[in-house]
Amino acid sequence: MTATATERLGERTPLRPPKPAPRWAMWAGVGVAAIISVYCLWAIEFTLRPLVTDLTNGQEVLRQFFDPNWAFAWRVRDQWLVTVEIAVIASLIGCAFALVLALMASRVTAPTALYRVMKLVLAVQRSLPDLAWVLLFVTVVSTGPLAGILALIMFNIGVAAKLTAESIDAVDPGPVEAAQAVGANALQRARVAVVPQVMPSFVSYSFYVFELNIRASLVIGMGGGGGIGEVIRVQLASFSYANISAVVAVLIVVVFALDQLSRTIRRRLI
Amino acid sequence: MITFRDVHVTYPTGTKGLDGVSLEISDGEFVVVVGLSGAGKSTLVRAINGLVPVTAGELEVNGRRVDGASKRELRRLRGEVGMIFQSFNLVTRVSVLNNVLMGRLARTSTLATLVGAYGSANKDIAFDALERVGIIEKAYTRASQLSGGQQQRVAIARVLAQQAGVVLADEPVASLDPPTAHAVMSDLRRVQRELGITTVVNLHFLDLARSFADRIIGMRAGKVVFDGTADQADDSVFEDIYGRSLRADDVVAAPPVTIDPEDRA
Amino acid sequence: MSEVTTQRPHPPSKLPKTLGMLATLAVLLVCIWAVNAPWSRLLDAPGIFGDYLRLMSEGVLANPTADPHQGYWVSALQYMLESLQMAWVGTMIGAACSFPVAFLAARTISPAPVVAVTRMILNVIRAVPELIIAVAIMMPIFGFGPLAGALALGVGSIGTLGKLSSEAIEAVDPRPVEAVSSTGGNKLQVIWWGVVPQALPEILAFWLYRFEINIRAGAILGLLGAGGIGSILSQLFQRRVWDRIGVTLIVIIVVTVIVDQISARVRHRIIAGPKGSLTPGREPMAEMG
């Protein structure tokens, strides 16, 4: 008995683990990605040659960009205010809607049929770029901040509802079970056991959405939604790059400052 | 009064949770259910308030049928049956008081819950419950700041706030260190005696089971294999329930720190 | 009764919370008043929107094999395809450039001065909108068309991808890295065998997620003449050809949702492995605007 066992062992030494199956999925993925890449490069006629031949073409534009007209950035101060106001209104209202929709789009807080439908609705709603929303609302309520606000609300619902729904999916199920065990109905469970758990993430997302709204103000205004982006649109049409660069520089500083501010507030709140 | 008549529970995965259980638990009894993990203790307890649906047989709690009950009926039943969990299941980000007020949900309108207006009568009940478990001074503390033993006392207070006639406890002290486990069990037992609550507790520590239970039910493979008083349940009975010899980790094996005179009796 | 109440602790002041709520509400109201938008138009908006929706659905529901609707579908798909191509190439450029940069920006790999300088450059790139990169740099040099758009998206992607990838690199388990260094590997070997295998799944997921974002971000570049779906969208809305707008929006929605779903599946598979499950609760993607 023992002899045979040792013999068998002896036969097998050195003990090698069985060779792992080749990772087909990985190589297939790499292959597909490579094919798509080659195709896309070909399709958009990718070349870096203009960097050698046409580099000087951009010099005049760039020269103006590096000579910002700071006075202009101050002259359009009213439009800056409008941008901030649009962002405040759109993020507060958008996030409030988003919380309700997120509760309807999670399997923790909604029946199966409802959350499946809501997940799809949110996916559809999120698939439209911010530009499409602005263009759409401009035709409905005409150009100006109202169109910008409505477009950003839609955009914000898409971002905040998705992130919040994912946080709801990940809440500790214990308190939800406890609420179920005391006989709470679905709304009560959501309010008492789920909302307090996701509140910190939700507040974070709301600040993040506000920051995104300031960043998106260029797109919103270009599409006709008012605010500082509208200034950019007019200046672009007259090729006043020195004015644009001053506005963009201020925008970058504003976004940076808001980022720091929202971080401080978030840390206080949570 | 809780009555099981040939109750079967089969999970969607095909696993049998309960396999023909027939039991009668009378009002005010303190029953401890013992058995190895997977023996069906947890299923037995969770079947009583419908958290686990009964697949065959009849289950009645205080004259209400649990099997086949509608969602609304189940919610009403659960309002009268309290439950305590191994991991406390508190909402740790809100105050102790709000956690205890959760016990009033079945008797609070949805609208009032949404705006957080429970009313002074419900608050009085919640403070009463906190007083009974001796942590009233923590009412406005966030639950996350309490120790494990204190959190489980809040969970007991939540059940008391339900003014439940029946309390279920699923491994209530398994996450606690031995002295705290004893203290929490004594609290639960004292409150249960004071209010005459029918209580069903899952435990896997046999010394705790013996020292606190009126009656011990042993389970193996979804069946009741022992049903008797704590005195009748000696080591050989436990070895029979567990299907193996006893080990050191089957007992808490630490002396209780505080002994209530009532508990001695 | 009175005995019980005396034992109760005093409830904490609700003042800060109430003040916070009131302040938020006040800010909202002031903004609504100051922005001076024609709020009354909201009353008519649903009706107008309904009319447009009906006009759009007529375009969508019309026989797609007959003219002129067949042409609408084909051109919308072509423009959308161009958007996807721009986004893919942009992501490729961003990925290729950000990958080495991420190691320079990781505290666990590079010396502090290098990290500081690299991070500053990444922050600056992140702050400049793609729109401006396109207008100021890419379009003067590369002219109109998707190439300029792809390059603008690419440069824009370097910022976020570099930042997130460097964080993923910093978060790798240090033990395998130590193991590789203890065998006497040089710095490059340590990175290649100890760090890359651990950080790569997460970095790949960032690339895919950035691709999803670039599809949407490319729309505004089209408005400026950099190709893709955005270039046709604004014209259609100006001319108010609702049936064609309907067709175009449906194409955007369907293609984007499908690409998002595929990308999400692949991301999940890359991070969790064939059978594994994701640990929930972490959403680094939230930082990618």
Side-chain angles (χ1 to χ4, degrees), chain A residues 18-65:
Chain A
K19 204 176 169 188
R23 303 171 65 184
W24 293 119
M26 191 185 87
W27 290 112
V30 171
V32 169
I35 292 169
I36 296 177
S37 301
V38 172
Y39 160 73
C40 287
L41 288 172
W42 168 79
I44 68 163
E45 296 168 23
F46 185 82
T47 170
L48 291 177
R49 180 171 290 274
L51 275 183
V52 184
T53 55
D54 298 320
L55 191 59
T56 46
N57 282 10
Q59 270 183 352
E60 178 51 28
V61 177
L62 264 187
R63 197 191 55 74
Q64 287 194 39
F65 257 95

Coordinates of all heavy atoms in Angstrom, one line a residue, chain A residues 18-65:
Chain A
P18 N -1.8 21.7 -13.1 CA -2.2 21.6 -14.5 C -2.1 22.9 -15.2 O -2.3 24.0 -14.6 CB -3.7 21.1 -14.4 CG -4.1 21.6 -13.0 CD -2.8 21.4 -12.2
K19 N -1.7 22.9 -16.5 CA -1.6 24.1 -17.2 C -2.9 24.9 -17.3 O -3.9 24.2 -17.6 CB -1.1 23.8 -18.6 CG -0.4 24.9 -19.3 CD 0.1 24.5 -20.7 CE 0.6 25.7 -21.4 NZ 0.9 25.4 -22.8
P20 N -3.0 26.1 -16.9 CA -4.3 26.8 -17.0 C -4.8 26.9 -18.4 O -4.0 27.0 -19.3 CB -4.0 28.2 -16.4 CG -2.6 28.4 -16.6 CD -1.9 27.0 -16.5
A21 N -6.1 26.9 -18.5 CA -6.7 27.0 -19.8 C -6.3 28.4 -20.4 O -6.2 29.4 -19.7 CB -8.2 26.9 -19.8
P22 N -6.0 28.4 -21.7 CA -5.6 29.7 -22.3 C -6.7 30.7 -22.2 O -7.9 30.3 -22.2 CB -5.3 29.4 -23.8 CG -5.9 28.0 -24.0 CD -5.9 27.3 -22.7
R23 N -6.4 32.0 -21.9 CA -7.4 32.9 -21.6 C -8.0 33.5 -22.9 O -7.7 34.5 -23.4 CB -6.9 34.0 -20.7 CG -6.3 33.4 -19.5 CD -5.5 34.5 -18.7 NE -6.4 35.5 -18.2 CZ -6.0 36.6 -17.5 NH1 -4.7 36.7 -17.3 NH2 -6.8 37.5 -17.1
W24 N -8.9 32.6 -23.5 CA -9.5 33.0 -24.8 C -10.2 34.3 -24.8 O -10.0 35.1 -25.7 CB -10.5 31.9 -25.3 CG -9.8 30.6 -25.5 CD1 -10.1 29.4 -24.9 CD2 -8.9 30.3 -26.5 NE1 -9.3 28.4 -25.4 CE2 -8.6 28.9 -26.4 CE3 -8.2 31.1 -27.5 CZ2 -7.6 28.3 -27.2 CZ3 -7.2 30.4 -28.3 CH2 -7.0 29.1 -28.1
A25 N -11.0 34.5 -23.7 CA -11.8 35.7 -23.6 C -10.8 37.0 -23.7 O -11.1 37.9 -24.5 CB -12.6 35.8 -22.4
M26 N -9.7 36.9 -23.0 CA -8.8 38.0 -23.0 C -8.3 38.3 -24.4 O -8.3 39.4 -24.9 CB -7.7 37.8 -22.0 CG -6.9 39.0 -21.7 SD -5.5 38.7 -20.7 CE -4.3 38.2 -21.9
W27 N -7.7 37.2 -25.0 CA -7.1 37.4 -26.3 C -8.1 37.8 -27.4 O -7.8 38.7 -28.2 CB -6.4 36.2 -26.8 CG -5.1 36.0 -25.9 CD1 -4.9 35.0 -25.0 CD2 -4.0 36.8 -25.8 NE1 -3.7 35.2 -24.4 CE2 -3.1 36.3 -24.8 CE3 -3.6 38.0 -26.5 CZ2 -1.9 36.9 -24.5 CZ3 -2.4 38.6 -26.1 CH2 -1.6 38.1 -25.2
A28 N -9.4 37.3 -27.3 CA -10.4 37.7 -28.2 C -10.7 39.2 -28.0 O -10.8 39.9 -29.0 CB -11.7 36.9 -27.9
G29 N -10.8 39.6 -26.7 CA -11.0 41.0 -26.4 C -9.9 41.9 -27.0 O -10.2 42.9 -27.7
V30 N -8.7 41.5 -26.8 CA -7.5 42.3 -27.3 C -7.6 42.4 -28.9 O -7.4 43.4 -29.5 CB -6.2 41.7 -26.9 CG1 -5.0 42.3 -27.6 CG2 -6.0 41.8 -25.4
G31 N -7.9 41.2 -29.5 CA -8.0 41.2 -31.0 C -9.1 42.1 -31.5 O -8.9 42.9 -32.4
V32 N -10.3 42.0 -30.8 CA -11.4 42.9 -31.3 C -11.1 44.4 -31.1 O -11.3 45.2 -32.0 CB -12.7 42.6 -30.5 CG1 -13.8 43.6 -30.7 CG2 -13.2 41.2 -30.8
A33 N -10.5 44.7 -30.0 CA -10.1 46.1 -29.7 C -9.1 46.5 -30.8 O -9.2 47.7 -31.3 CB -9.5 46.2 -28.3
A34 N -8.1 45.7 -31.2 CA -7.1 46.1 -32.2 C -7.8 46.3 -33.5 O -7.5 47.3 -34.2 CB -6.1 45.0 -32.3
I35 N -8.7 45.4 -33.9 CA -9.4 45.6 -35.2 C -10.2 46.9 -35.2 O -10.1 47.7 -36.1 CB -10.3 44.4 -35.5 CG1 -9.5 43.1 -35.7 CG2 -11.2 44.7 -36.6 CD1 -10.3 41.8 -35.7
I36 N -11.0 47.1 -34.1 CA -11.7 48.4 -34.0 C -10.8 49.6 -34.1 O -11.1 50.6 -34.9 CB -12.6 48.4 -32.7 CG1 -13.6 47.3 -32.7 CG2 -13.3 49.8 -32.6 CD1 -14.4 47.3 -31.4
S37 N -9.7 49.5 -33.4 CA -8.8 50.7 -33.5 C -8.3 50.9 -34.9 O -8.3 52.1 -35.3 CB -7.6 50.4 -32.5 OG -8.0 50.1 -31.2
V38 N -7.8 49.9 -35.6 CA -7.3 50.1 -36.9 C -8.4 50.7 -37.8 O -8.2 51.6 -38.5 CB -6.8 48.8 -37.5 CG1 -6.4 48.9 -39.0 CG2 -5.6 48.3 -36.7
Y39 N -9.6 50.1 -37.7 CA -10.7 50.6 -38.5 C -11.0 52.1 -38.2 O -11.1 52.9 -39.2 CB -11.9 49.7 -38.2 CG -13.2 50.4 -38.6 CD1 -13.6 50.5 -40.0 CD2 -14.1 50.9 -37.7 CE1 -14.7 51.2 -40.4 CE2 -15.2 51.6 -38.1 CZ -15.6 51.7 -39.4 OH -16.7 52.3 -39.8
C40 N -11.0 52.4 -36.9 CA -11.4 53.8 -36.6 C -10.3 54.8 -37.1 O -10.6 55.9 -37.6 CB -11.6 54.0 -35.1 SG -13.1 53.2 -34.5
L41 N -9.0 54.4 -36.9 CA -7.9 55.2 -37.4 C -8.0 55.5 -38.9 O -7.9 56.6 -39.4 CB -6.6 54.6 -37.0 CG -6.2 54.6 -35.5 CD1 -5.0 53.8 -35.3 CD2 -6.0 56.0 -35.0
W42 N -8.4 54.4 -39.6 CA -8.5 54.5 -41.0 C -9.7 55.4 -41.4 O -9.6 56.2 -42.2 CB -8.7 53.1 -41.6 CG -9.1 53.1 -43.0 CD1 -8.3 53.3 -44.1 CD2 -10.4 52.9 -43.5 NE1 -9.0 53.3 -45.3 CE2 -10.3 53.0 -44.9 CE3 -11.6 52.6 -42.9 CZ2 -11.5 52.8 -45.7 CZ3 -12.7 52.4 -43.7 CH2 -12.6 52.5 -45.1
A43 N -10.8 55.2 -40.7 CA -12.1 55.8 -41.0 C -12.0 57.3 -40.8 O -12.5 58.1 -41.6 CB -13.2 55.3 -40.2
I44 N -11.3 57.8 -39.8 CA -11.2 59.3 -39.7 C -10.0 59.8 -40.3 O -9.6 61.0 -40.1 CB -11.3 59.7 -38.2 CG1 -10.1 59.3 -37.4 CG2 -12.6 59.2 -37.5 CD1 -10.0 60.0 -36.1
E45 N -9.3 59.0 -41.1 CA -8.1 59.4 -41.8 C -7.1 60.0 -40.9 O -6.6 61.1 -41.0 CB -8.4 60.4 -42.9 CG -9.3 59.7 -44.0 CD -9.9 60.8 -44.9 OE1 -9.3 61.9 -45.0 OE2 -10.9 60.5 -45.5
F46 N -6.7 59.2 -39.9 CA -5.8 59.6 -38.8 C -4.4 59.9 -39.4 O -3.9 59.1 -40.1 CB -5.7 58.6 -37.7 CG -4.9 59.1 -36.5 CD1 -5.5 59.9 -35.6 CD2 -3.6 58.7 -36.4 CE1 -4.7 60.3 -34.5 CE2 -2.8 59.2 -35.4 CZ -3.4 60.0 -34.4
T47 N -3.9 61.1 -39.1 CA -2.5 61.4 -39.5 C -2.0 62.5 -38.6 O -2.8 63.3 -38.1 CB -2.5 61.9 -41.0 OG1 -1.2 62.4 -41.2 CG2 -3.5 62.9 -41.3
L48 N -0.7 62.5 -38.3 CA -0.2 63.6 -37.5 C 0.7 64.5 -38.4 O 1.4 65.4 -37.9 CB 0.7 63.0 -36.4 CG -0.1 62.3 -35.3 CD1 0.8 61.7 -34.3 CD2 -1.1 63.2 -34.6
R49 N 0.6 64.3 -39.7 CA 1.4 65.0 -40.7 C 1.2 66.6 -40.5 O 2.2 67.3 -40.5 CB 1.1 64.6 -42.1 CG 1.9 65.3 -43.2 CD 1.7 64.7 -44.5 NE 2.4 63.4 -44.6 CZ 3.7 63.2 -44.9 NH1 4.4 64.3 -45.2 NH2 4.2 62.0 -44.9
P50 N -0.1 67.0 -40.4 CA -0.2 68.5 -40.2 C 0.6 69.1 -39.1 O 0.9 70.3 -39.2 CB -1.7 68.6 -40.0 CG -2.4 67.4 -40.6 CD -1.4 66.3 -40.4
L51 N 0.9 68.3 -38.1 CA 1.8 68.8 -37.1 C 3.1 69.3 -37.6 O 3.7 70.3 -37.1 CB 2.0 67.7 -36.0 CG 1.0 67.6 -34.9 CD1 1.4 66.5 -33.9 CD2 0.7 68.9 -34.2
V52 N 3.6 68.7 -38.7 CA 4.8 69.1 -39.3 C 4.6 70.2 -40.4 O 5.2 71.2 -40.4 CB 5.5 67.8 -40.0 CG1 6.9 68.3 -40.6 CG2 5.6 66.7 -39.0
T53 N 3.6 69.9 -41.2 CA 3.4 70.8 -42.4 C 2.6 72.0 -42.0 O 2.8 73.1 -42.6 CB 2.6 70.0 -43.5 OG1 1.4 69.5 -43.0 CG2 3.5 68.9 -44.1
D54 N 1.6 71.9 -41.1 CA 0.7 73.0 -40.9 C 0.8 73.6 -39.5 O -0.2 74.3 -39.1 CB -0.8 72.6 -41.2 CG -1.0 72.1 -42.6 OD1 -0.4 72.8 -43.5 OD2 -1.6 71.1 -42.8
L55 N 1.8 73.3 -38.8 CA 1.9 73.7 -37.4 C 1.7 75.3 -37.3 O 1.2 75.8 -36.4 CB 3.2 73.3 -36.8 CG 3.3 73.5 -35.3 CD1 2.2 72.7 -34.6 CD2 4.7 73.0 -34.8
T56 N 2.3 76.0 -38.3 CA 2.2 77.4 -38.2 C 0.8 78.0 -38.4 O 0.6 79.1 -38.0 CB 3.1 78.0 -39.3 OG1 2.9 77.3 -40.6 CG2 4.6 77.9 -39.0
N57 N -0.1 77.2 -39.0 CA -1.5 77.6 -39.2 C -2.1 78.1 -37.9 O -2.9 79.0 -37.9 CB -2.3 76.5 -39.8 CG -2.1 76.3 -41.2 OD1 -1.2 76.9 -41.8 ND2 -2.9 75.5 -41.8
G58 N -1.8 77.4 -36.8 CA -2.4 77.7 -35.6 C -1.8 78.8 -34.8 O -2.3 79.3 -33.8
Q59 N -0.7 79.3 -35.3 CA 0.1 80.3 -34.5 C -0.7 81.5 -34.1 O -0.7 82.0 -33.0 CB 1.4 80.7 -35.2 CG 2.5 79.7 -34.8 CD 3.8 80.1 -35.5 OE1 3.9 81.0 -36.3 NE2 4.9 79.5 -35.1
E60 N -1.4 82.1 -35.1 CA -2.1 83.3 -34.9 C -3.2 83.1 -33.8 O -3.3 83.9 -32.9 CB -2.7 83.8 -36.2 CG -3.5 85.1 -36.1 CD -2.7 86.2 -35.4 OE1 -1.5 86.2 -35.4 OE2 -3.4 87.1 -34.8
V61 N -3.9 82.0 -34.0 CA -5.0 81.7 -33.0 C -4.4 81.6 -31.6 O -4.8 82.2 -30.6 CB -5.7 80.5 -33.4 CG1 -6.8 80.1 -32.3 CG2 -6.4 80.6 -34.7
L62 N -3.3 80.8 -31.5 CA -2.7 80.5 -30.2 C -2.1 81.8 -29.6 O -2.2 82.0 -28.4 CB -1.6 79.5 -30.4 CG -2.0 78.0 -30.1 CD1 -0.7 77.2 -30.2 CD2 -2.6 77.9 -28.8
R63 N -1.5 82.7 -30.5 CA -0.9 83.9 -30.0 C -2.0 84.7 -29.3 O -1.8 85.3 -28.2 CB -0.3 84.7 -31.2 CG 0.7 85.8 -30.7 CD 1.0 86.7 -31.9 NE -0.2 87.3 -32.5 CZ -0.9 88.2 -32.0 NH1 -0.6 88.7 -30.8 NH2 -2.0 88.7 -32.6
Q64 N -3.2 84.8 -29.9 CA -4.3 85.5 -29.3 C -4.7 84.9 -28.0 O -5.1 85.6 -27.1 CB -5.5 85.6 -30.3 CG -5.3 86.5 -31.4 CD -6.6 86.8 -32.2 OE1 -7.6 87.0 -31.5 NE2 -6.5 86.9 -33.5
F65 N -4.7 83.5 -28.0 CA -5.1 82.8 -26.8 C -4.2 83.1 -25.6 O -4.6 83.2 -24.5 CB -5.2 81.3 -27.0 CG -6.6 80.8 -27.2 CD1 -7.1 80.7 -28.5 CD2 -7.3 80.5 -26.1 CE1 -8.4 80.2 -28.6 CE2 -8.6 80.0 -26.3 CZ -9.2 79.9 -27.5

